[in-house]
């Protein structure tokens, strides 16, 4: 099969790869749409030791089952494979499973390819009225819904009355704003330095501000970037008794004002991926239109994938998400 293969820092090659082999209770899926994630960018830059080259990246996928228990069905893929037996899985916190695997990390190849294999329990059926491109957004939006739900549970006031700040206007930032709105938030600002993205974010119905122009306080701050500067801003802008939801994995170097957060009783939480319930709920939310039109992704062919990584890195892409079509 053809696949877009990560071959080293800043290097992607479209070439031939072995066809995936079906295991017990697994499905062979013809990939019809797969998104480029920020974690794919980290790997491409050579910043993720968990993803050594050569490797097929990509984990935001949707397509049609060619063989296996769900043969013939259109599906979106939950890429997080867990054991189902540990205390975390039994408690419905599959994202914390100590034996979790995710496609695009060894030993599981990713979905920047014509085909991928996934267990049946990782699939959610897609209705005919939903395109594969929109269905592929279930994975990144599930990350966002999970973070928004955790923030909602920790906030000691109604989310509809809260002021919310989302740092970063990429897919996770925009998805976080859409998730907060779906949960009832009405006052949401997205901080985004890339001027190309501002019109896209504004069309989605959100106030957009340059990071240097922000004026707090904000009851909820979602850091979808995760670098020292955004953590520093988050701990300065969050309201007393507020919540910081930290999704971004930009770096792990300093930034938080721990003294202020302690004195103002600020809740800080790291959030990672999603539970199986989050993923199913997100997919259903897409099908029912709870996240809006989802018309902000740019589509390219898999053969244009290498150039897409370069364009994203150079800041030449206005769209919060690029979706590749194998």
């Amino acid at each position: 099969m053809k696949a877009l293969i990560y071959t080293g820092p800043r290097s992607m090659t479209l070439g031939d790869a072995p066809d995936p082999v079906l295991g017990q209770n697994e499905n062979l899926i013809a990939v019809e749409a797969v998104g480029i994630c920020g974690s794919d960018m980290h790997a491409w830059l050579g910043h993720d030791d968990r993803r050594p080259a050569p490797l097929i990246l990509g984990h935001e996928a949707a397509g049609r089952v060619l063989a296996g228990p769900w043969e013939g069905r259109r599906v979106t893929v939950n890429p997080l494979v867990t054991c189902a037996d540990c205390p975390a899985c039994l408690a419905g916190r599959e994202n914390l499973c100590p034996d979790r695997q995710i496609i695009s990390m060894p030993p599981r190849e990713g979905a920047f390819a014509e085909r991928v294999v996934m267990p049946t329990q990782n699939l959610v059926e897609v209705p005919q009225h939903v395109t594969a491109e929109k269905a592929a957004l279930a994975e990144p939006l599930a990350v966002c819904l999970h973070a928004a739900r955790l923030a909602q549970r920790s906030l000691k006031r109604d989310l509809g009355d809260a002021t919310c700040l989302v740092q970063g206007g990429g897919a996770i930032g925009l998805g976080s704003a859409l998730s907060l709105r779906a949960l009832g938030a009405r006052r949401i600002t997205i901080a985004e330095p890339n001027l190309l993205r501002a019109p896209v974010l504004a069309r989605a119905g959100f106030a957009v501000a340059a990071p240097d122009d922000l004026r707090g306080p904000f009851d909820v701050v979602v850091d979808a970037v995760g670098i020292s500067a955004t953590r520093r801003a988050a701990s300065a802008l969050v309201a007393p008794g507020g919540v910081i939801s930290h999704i971004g994995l930009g770096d792990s170097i300093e930034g938080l004002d721990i003294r202020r957060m302690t004195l103002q009783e600020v809740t800080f939480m790291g959030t990672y991926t999603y539970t199986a319930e989050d993923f199913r709920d997100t997919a259903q939310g897409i099908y029912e239109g709870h996240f809006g039109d989802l018309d902000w992704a740019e589509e390219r062919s898999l053969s244009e994938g290498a150039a897409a990584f370069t364009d994203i890195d150079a800041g030449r892409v206005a769209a919060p998400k690029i979706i590749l079509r194998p």
Side-chain angles (χ1 to χ4, degrees):
M1 67 175 181
K2 291 295 183 183
L4 187 65
I5 304 168
Y6 165 60
T7 54
R10 297 180 178 271
S11 178
M12 301 284 276
T13 301
L14 185 68
D16 293 318
D19 288 329
V21 178
L22 273 178
Q24 186 176 7
N25 197 36
E26 289 190 329
N27 298 266
L28 179 65
I29 301 161
V31 180
E32 296 176 349
V34 54
I36 297 177
C37 176
S39 63
D40 296 317
M41 290 299 301
H42 291 316
W44 177 78
L45 290 166
H47 296 166
D48 191 346
D49 293 338
R50 302 171 303 168
R51 291 178 165 94
L55 183 68
I56 302 173
L57 301 174
H59 57 271
E60 303 175 354
R64 185 178 297 276
V65 178
L66 298 174
W70 277 27
E71 182 176 347
R73 299 192 194 187
R74 302 178 67 236
V75 296
T76 186
V77 173
N78 177 345
L80 199 64
V81 182
T82 59
C83 74
D85 291 325
C86 70
C89 287
L90 293 175
R93 304 184 75 185
E94 297 88 351
N95 57 321
L96 301 181
C97 173
D99 296 319
R100 66 183 183 254
Q101 298 176 349
I102 189 168
I103 59 172
S104 78
M105 286 187 196
R108 293 184 176 270
E109 298 279 7
F112 288 154
E114 292 179 315
R115 290 177 288 280
V116 70
V117 163
M118 290 301 298
T120 300
Q121 63 265 27
N122 285 72
L123 304 181
V124 176
E125 190 163 7
V126 177
Q128 289 301 318
H129 74 277
V130 177
T131 66
E133 289 75 21
K134 289 185 179 180
L137 294 173
E139 198 282 337
L141 286 175
V143 172
C144 304
L145 182 63
H146 178 70
R149 281 175 163 175
L150 289 178
Q152 182 184 42
R153 292 169 193 163
S154 297
L155 188 66
K156 305 304 181 185
R157 59 183 300 182
D158 187 87
L159 194 57
D161 298 326
T163 54
C164 302
L165 170 66
V166 177
Q167 295 172 296
I172 297 299
L174 177 54
S176 295
L178 292 169
S179 296
L180 288 167
R181 187 164 66 189
L183 293 177
R186 295 189 293 268
R187 291 180 288 171
I188 304 169
T189 299
I190 300 178
E192 172 54 56
N194 185 346
L195 296 179
L196 289 177
R197 283 182 171 167
V200 178
L201 303 174
R203 282 200 303 273
F206 299 106
V208 186
D212 291 341
D213 295 336
L214 293 170
R215 299 291 181 268
F218 295 93
D219 300 301
V220 175
V221 179
V222 177
D223 188 346
V225 182
I227 60 175
S228 301
T230 54
R231 283 190 292 273
R232 188 173 297 111
S235 56
L237 293 167
V238 67
V243 177
I244 299 173
S245 184
H246 194 276
I247 309 174
L249 290 170
D251 66 37
S252 57
I253 306 169
E254 62 190 23
L256 291 177
D257 184 343
I258 297 298
R259 180 177 176 81
R260 179 176 187 271
M261 291 169 60
T262 300
L263 294 174
Q264 300 294 346
E265 209 164 88
V266 169
T267 299
F268 176 92
M269 63 182 68
T271 75
Y272 176 70
T273 62
Y274 33 76
T275 68
E277 181 182 22
D278 290 326
F279 191 93
R280 292 190 297 268
D281 290 348
T282 300
Q284 192 62 37
I286 290 173
Y287 306 159
E288 296 177 2
H290 296 170
F291 299 100
D293 292 336
L294 300 179
D295 58 356
W296 35 263
E298 178 184 336
E299 298 173 21
R300 301 190 188 186
S301 68
L302 188 66
S303 62
E304 300 173 291
F309 274 79
T310 301
D311 289 345
I312 293 170
D313 183 56
R316 294 192 291 261
V317 178
K321 172 70 65 179
I322 290 182
I323 291 178
L324 302 179
R325 299 187 304 269

